[in-house]
Structure formats: structure tokens, C-alpha cells
Amino acid sequence: MTIDGTQTLLRQAVEYGCEYLGSLDERPVVPDAQALAALGNFDESLPAQPTPPADVLQQLHRLGSPATTANAGGRYFGYVNGGALPAALAGRVLADCWDQNAALQLMSPVAAKLESVCERWLVDLLRLPEESAVGMVSGTSLASLCGLLAGRNALLTRAGWDISQQGLFGAPALRVVMSSSAHATIRKALAMLGIGTAQIELVPADAQGRMDAKTLPPLDERTLLLVQAGNVNSGAFDPFIPLCEAARRAGAWVHVDGAFGLWARASAATQQLAEGVDRADSWSVDAHKTLNSPYDCGLIICRDRGTLAAALQANDAYIHFSGGRDGMLYTPEMSRRARGVELWAALKSLGRTGVDALVTQLCQRARQFAVELGAQGFHILNDVVFNQTLVACEKPELTTRTLENVQASGECWCSGTVWRGQPAIRVSVCSWMTTADDVRRSVAAFAAAREQAKMRNT
Ligand SMILES: *Cc1c(COP(=O)(O)O)cnc(C)c1O
């Protein structure tokens, strides 16, 4: 195949992509039974012979596009899954043509430049310490792993233990203090770092899922304190000022899981929720959630650049560092896609006021859900402070069946959870695409789903 063939194919891919995006408003938010059944056509043995690329692409569109969830549309409210901003999506398509490796400046000058510009912009936008380093990883799971790794190593170094030389076995024991409502990925990161559940001290969460600073155990210089900007269910924020002050007095390391909530710092309407969070040592946040950069783009931000780089170092004679900012200094990976390109495009296209407006809009739509669902007799279980609305019906069984019906309706899609012992429906407004009308349409789908659930019961 020649480069002409690649160009033809790429134009076709963009054509299919545009057709797909154009269909989002009409098609069901989840694939229908026919689309799911058609996925069976992928179950063939590995072809012995080549397939013409145009046929490959055509099959992908024919079978693949209908079997997607309409995450890119305005009525997908599952988990906390963001949409993709136009400039960021288009920038990514261009970057995919470049096929750059963002490990070293030498491998991609443009990727290195855009990563360093994004680093500066992000620290400014989120109002974090100016000297902070930002590593671009796949998501908050990995970002938290990096933050906890930096914290673990820093605390052990201060205790006179050189982890890179002496290893973890026999090292002074560390304590971990975190909320009982910490995200599952935090427990996973701790387990990967050799910190077991027996070393974790849980602080009870209040009715909103916030850590209660009054019940914080005494901290010391061997403690990792894990706090949260945005509870995955309620969107609630921990009280950072007293928590970070207690940590600072004790010499503990504070890591913030701010996967979607750290963006509260970028909006005048929500910044007070995350006041004092800049006093922490490291932060993880997703650009692919609230900012609506395409998947996958997570950020590890660390106040002490040297500590993060030391925790993630890899050296060999064949690796030529620039002496400046090489991406692999701040990430566990070496070869890595140039995530800074679409991140730059997202930030450049929105600007400071655009990010503020986006965050503000997501929160307004979440409140609109609360008001309109409340008016329909649904119970709103949380204080809607950010982009999350937690919903229940009069009875737990009715909530469960209503959620099933909402999910089957194709009108909108939400995921469920258990909140304070009862089933609840999570509405996460996370896409720039969601309009006030999408919310109204979804509220109507909720009401219809509950009616249907009541009828089935009688
Ligand atoms: C989504 C989320 C994570 C995990 O982030 P990934 O990008 O999926 O790895 C961690 N913490 C919170 C609070 C989240 O919402």
C-alpha cells in the first residue's frame, strides 16, 4: 500500500467517524440487541491471509459503531466518563497521523514542547504550586500509583531508608490514613506498592462521603494521608485545610485523588470546594473526565519534581536525555503516545474562561437533574455540590428496577451504586455535549422507567 492508499483510508475513517457522531442524537445510548448479536461476527479464527485495509475499516464501522455506548453524546451519565471536545478530538486525529513517541524530546520535539506548555498551563489553571511537575499517564489509576510511589519513597528516604538500593522488604513500616469512602483505585495502587490493608487506618466518612477531620488519628512522619476531591458517588470534597494542616505539622505526605473534582479549582463557581487542596504534596486528576479531553489522559502532579523523577527513573547509555523536560522522567512508561497534543488542544480551545464555563455548566446540569427529578417525586440523596446527582425512589426495589428500565430505555444511561446501605442511581454529568434539553429528556425517561417498574409490580 502506498501513502495515497493511507490517505484514502484515513478520509474514509473520518467520514465514518462523522457519520457516527451525526447519528448519536437519534440512536439509543446503549447498543440494541441486534448490534450486540452482530458482534459475534468478530469471532473468526485469525485470518491466514491479509484483508484489504478498506474492508477492515468497513467491517469496523459496520459492526463496531452500532455496538458502542453513546459516550460521545449528551445523554450518557454512567460512571464518570467525559466526552471529547471538538478541538481535542481533531487534534488527536492529527497526532495519530504523526505517530509520535513522547518518551524523549529527541523522539518528538513537538510532543515535548506541548507537554511542557500543558504542565505550565495546568499548574496555573488548577492553582497548584508553581514548581510542580506534571506527568501524563493513562488515567487517575496510574496517576495515583505514581503519587503514592513518590510519597512512599519520600517518607522512607526521610527515615534514612534508600528504597531504590535497599528495597521494600525490611523497610520501616508506613502508615496509610484514608477515608472509608476512598476510591477503589487507591486501594489497588496501595496493594501494588506493597502496602496491605492491615497498614490502612480508615477515617469514617460523613453523610456526604467526606472525611471527618475531627476523627483523624494522630499523624506522623511515616504517614501517607490520602484525601479526595470529588467522591465518585456524591461528588463531595474532603475538608482540605484542616487535613493538610495536620499533615504538615506531622510531616506526613498528602496525596489527593482529584480524578474529576480537582477541576473545581478552575471555576469561580466551585473553587471554594477545593480550597486549601494546593497544600498537598501530590495530586491525581483526569483530563479525560471533566475537561473532556479524549481517552486516555490522566495527570500526576507532584510538588517536588525531583522526588517524582527519582521514583520513576530509568537510565541506560542508549537513552539520550535532553537535560530539559523529557516526558518519561515523570511517567512509569517509556514509549507513550503524545497525550499532550490533545490536552494542549483542549486547553487552547477553551482558554481559562472556557474551562470555567465548562465546569460550571456540568454542575448546573447536575443541579437541574436534582431539581427536575425532585419535582417528579424522586429522592435526591446528596448535596449536589458538583457534577454528581444521587437518586432513589420511595423503595429500594423500585430504585433497582427503575435503574434497569432507564438503562434499557436507550434514552439515557446511568450506573448504579449502593449509598449508605441502599441502592441508588448515579447521574454523572460529565460531557460538554449535555444540554438542558438532554436533561429534560432524561428526566422524562426516569419518570417513565419508574412507572413501568410500578406497573410490573402490580
Ligand atoms: C475515575 C476515578 C478514578 C480512576 O480513574 P481512571 O482514569 O479511570 O483510572 C479514581 N478516583 C476517582 C474519584 C474517580 O472518579
Side-chain angles (χ1 to χ4, degrees), residues 191-216:
M192 287 194 278
L193 289 170
I195 297 175
T197 48
Q199 285 159 278
I200 301 177
E201 298 165 51
L202 290 181
V203 180
D206 70 9
Q208 296 297 322
R210 288 176 298 229
M211 200 188 274
D212 183 355
K214 287 194 293 296
T215 58
L216 191 70

Side-chain angles (χ1 to χ4, degrees), residues 80 138-142 183 185 228 230 232 257 259-260 286 288-289:
V80 190
S138 55
T140 287
S141 299
L142 204 61
H183 196 266
T185 54
Q228 188 165 251
V232 76
D257 175 358
F260 62 95
D286 275 325
H288 59 221
K289 288 182 179 168

Side-chain angles (χ1 to χ4, degrees), residues 19 72 84 124 161 178 220 260 336 350 360 363 390 395 449 458:
E19 186 188 312
D124 176 9
W161 187 267
M178 67 184 208
D220 60 28
F260 62 95
R336 191 167 45 88
L350 292 178
T360 306
C363 300
L390 277 177
K395 295 217 173 70
T458 51

Side-chain angles (χ1 to χ4, degrees), residues 19 38 72 76 81-82 102 130 139 151 169 193 225 236 264 273 292 298 304 344 366-367 373 411 423 436 440 454:
E19 186 188 312
Y76 183 90
N81 289 2
E130 212 180 319
F169 300 111
L193 289 170
L225 175 64
L273 291 168
N292 279 235
D304 185 353
W344 172 85
R367 277 198 305 278
L373 286 169
E411 272 289 282
R440 278 190 287 276
K454 281 180 176 165

Side-chain angles (χ1 to χ4, degrees), residues 362-374:
L362 300 178
C363 300
Q364 274 169 353
R365 303 275 185 260
R367 277 198 305 278
Q368 185 191 344
F369 259 112
V371 169
E372 295 184 10
L373 286 169

Side-chain angles (χ1 to χ4, degrees), residues 9-27:
L9 204 59
L10 192 63
R11 287 198 184 93
Q12 183 62 63
V14 169
E15 193 55 43
Y16 286 148
C18 292
E19 186 188 312
Y20 175 75
L21 292 174
S23 74
L24 284 176
D25 209 40
E26 279 86 56
R27 58 155 281 182

